[in-house]
Amino acid sequence: GAFESSPVYDPATRTVYYASWADDSLGAVWSQVLSGAARRAPPTRLTAKPVQYGSLRLSQDGRTLAYLRGGDDVHRGVDLADQTDFGLMVLGPDRNEREVTTLEWKPSYPHASRRPPAISFSPDGSTLFFTEMVRDTMFLRSVRSDGFDRRTLYAFPHAVRAVMSPDGRWMAVQEYLRSYVVPVAFAGKM
């Protein structure tokens, strides 16, 4: 059997997208329609490269799927949460997978490395937000979905997780064992 993770659901099409891992076929991103006759059909494989995938996010209009693609560390037995370099990928309505940017996850302390980077979309789907961990600082960055205009928005020296809200007005930040929900205008000023 396969290990399935990172599910996201599109209510408009009643489709679930998820990452999967099996020792014989390795990793992939899949979709499964949950209504009508299509629900009896086998899942559809959306990715071709057999590596680890995770942190799936669907744009609010349901047209674009974003996810992390791990490196070739899988051949050395490295779990997705322990990998250090990722591709931030998108899959649009044309079903062509493309890399938007690369990101690092290189913490100097092990507590932050047990969870892959977070991804979210701006409300209009034109921008992706993602986290990067470099030594002891978590960065919340943005990049347009075409791969241009990469920016650092905030640096959190004690954070282990930061995620934007779907409307882009709020941010949840976890610092060690404490969590905060703050307006984006005040983020980084705690």
Side-chain angles (χ1 to χ4, degrees):
F3 172 73
E4 297 164 347
S5 65
S6 299
V8 293
Y9 178 68
D10 181 1
T13 62
R14 298 196 56 170
T15 302
V16 66
Y17 299 89
Y18 60 94
S20 179
W21 175 265
D23 289 338
D24 58 349
S25 59
L26 305 181
V29 174
W30 299 81
S31 68
Q32 175 71 57
V33 177
L34 302 178
S35 66
R39 73 173 181 245
R40 293 182 194 89
T44 302
R45 186 179 181 132
L46 302 176
T47 56
K49 189 171 183 179
V51 296
Q52 294 184 29
Y53 295 88
S55 299
L56 278 65
R57 292 294 174 265
L58 194 60
S59 62
Q60 290 185 22
D61 65 7
R63 296 176 47 85
T64 306
L65 181 67
Y67 49 89
L68 294 178
R69 181 171 71 191
D72 292 329
D73 294 351
V74 67
H75 300 294
R76 296 192 313 260
V78 177
D79 183 88
L80 183 68
D82 293 325
Q83 292 190 28
T84 58
D85 298 292
F86 299 91
L88 176 54
M89 313 301 291
V90 293
L91 190 70
D94 59 3
R95 294 296 182 224
N96 286 325
E97 179 184 46
R98 62 185 175 79
E99 185 174 82
V100 175
T101 191
T102 58
L103 53 124
E104 295 181 43
W105 197 253
K106 298 181 179 172
S108 59
Y109 58 97
H111 180 61
S113 66
R114 294 306 311 152
R115 184 180 266 174
I119 302 171
S120 58
F121 278 95
S122 63
D124 67 0
S126 65
T127 302
L128 287 157
F129 300 103
F130 60 95
T131 54
E132 280 190 294
M133 179 66 81
V134 181
R135 291 192 287 282
D136 63 348
T137 303
M138 174 167 287
F139 295 93
L140 179 64
R141 303 189 199 273
S142 68
V143 64
R144 286 193 336 227
S145 59
D146 62 9
F148 293 101
D149 200 23
R150 183 176 163 140
R151 297 179 182 196
T152 298
L153 304 175
Y154 301 102
F156 300 103
H158 304 291
V160 294
R161 193 84 169 149
V163 180
M164 295 288 280
S165 67
D167 65 6
R169 296 175 45 207
W170 297 88
M171 180 187 312
V173 179
Q174 181 183 355
E175 292 184 344
Y176 302 115
L177 301 175
R178 295 182 180 166
S179 296
Y180 305 92
V181 176
V182 295
V184 168
F186 296 109
K189 300 174 184 169
M190 298 183 283

